[in-house]
Amino acid sequence: MAEADWDLVAAFHAQCSEQNLFRRWGRTRLTPRDLSWLLAHAQCWIGLDADERPLALVCVGPVSRELGVFDLGLQVVDHRHRQGIGTALARHAARLARARGGHTLSAFTQASNAPMLRILDRLGPTRHTRDGPYVEIRVALDALAPDPKAALQ
């Protein structure tokens, strides 16, 4: 993803409820300036459906600048929740972080964001650190859980 993809990002966010935008970003709207900052600190990509419509946004990189820690940002459009998309993208992001020398995948989200907590807990052993209404979740990348779908192939 690049800054030139702003229209695609805006189309993605137009499919997300204000509640889920707030849960992901802490506000109901992402600006081009926010996207520029993310792109400067992380690798970001947009997942498209079969009709080339945006269905997910993922960012992974050393945003916190803590050595070996890669931060994950993940959002899936509301009408595609609970289909395994977020879990598959989080697994891919974790593998990417590990391949780039990361030892920990970290996410900071609202403590009430049960879908994101479940996704991260599925990746492997996690450590949750509560900070008021938020929680930081850390996944040890050397202990990633195997992908159960990979065993079926």
Side-chain angles (χ1 to χ4, degrees):
M1 185 167 69
E3 289 186 42
D5 294 317
W6 172 251
D7 289 343
L8 203 52
V9 173
F12 167 74
H13 281 132
Q15 297 180 73
C16 300
S17 67
E18 286 191 0
Q19 175 189 3
N20 284 329
L21 287 170
F22 187 80
R23 195 164 43 184
R24 167 62 188 96
W25 301 102
R27 55 183 177 238
T28 58
R29 159 176 124 74
L30 185 71
T31 67
R33 183 177 173 194
D34 297 324
L35 180 61
S36 294
W37 187 89
L38 276 172
L39 291 170
H41 294 90
Q43 181 177 349
C44 302
W45 66 93
I46 296 176
L48 303 175
D49 67 14
D51 295 323
E52 302 280 323
R53 288 184 305 249
L55 64 89
L57 176 64
V58 184
C59 296
V60 63
V63 176
S64 65
R65 299 188 181 173
E66 186 179 342
L67 188 61
V69 176
F70 280 68
D71 301 285
L72 173 67
L74 171 65
Q75 187 169 12
V76 176
V77 294
D78 295 17
H79 68 279
R80 297 298 299 265
H81 285 191
R82 302 193 58 82
Q83 295 178 13
I85 296 165
T87 301
L89 291 170
R91 281 187 196 289
H92 180 73
R95 287 191 301 269
L96 178 73
R98 187 169 58 188
R100 296 220 168 130
H103 57 72
T104 302
L105 186 69
S106 174
F108 190 76
T109 189
Q110 290 185 343
S112 62
N113 189 349
M116 185 63 161
L117 299 177
R118 275 192 306 274
I119 286 170
L120 293 166
D121 285 338
R122 284 187 193 121
L123 293 180
T126 58
R127 186 177 80 227
H128 296 227
T129 305
R130 187 79 185 244
D131 183 11
Y134 298 95
V135 63
E136 179 188 33
I137 303 95
R138 289 184 169 229
V139 180
L141 293 175
D142 62 349
L144 284 177
D147 183 351
K149 291 182 182 178
L152 301 174
Q153 298 175 354

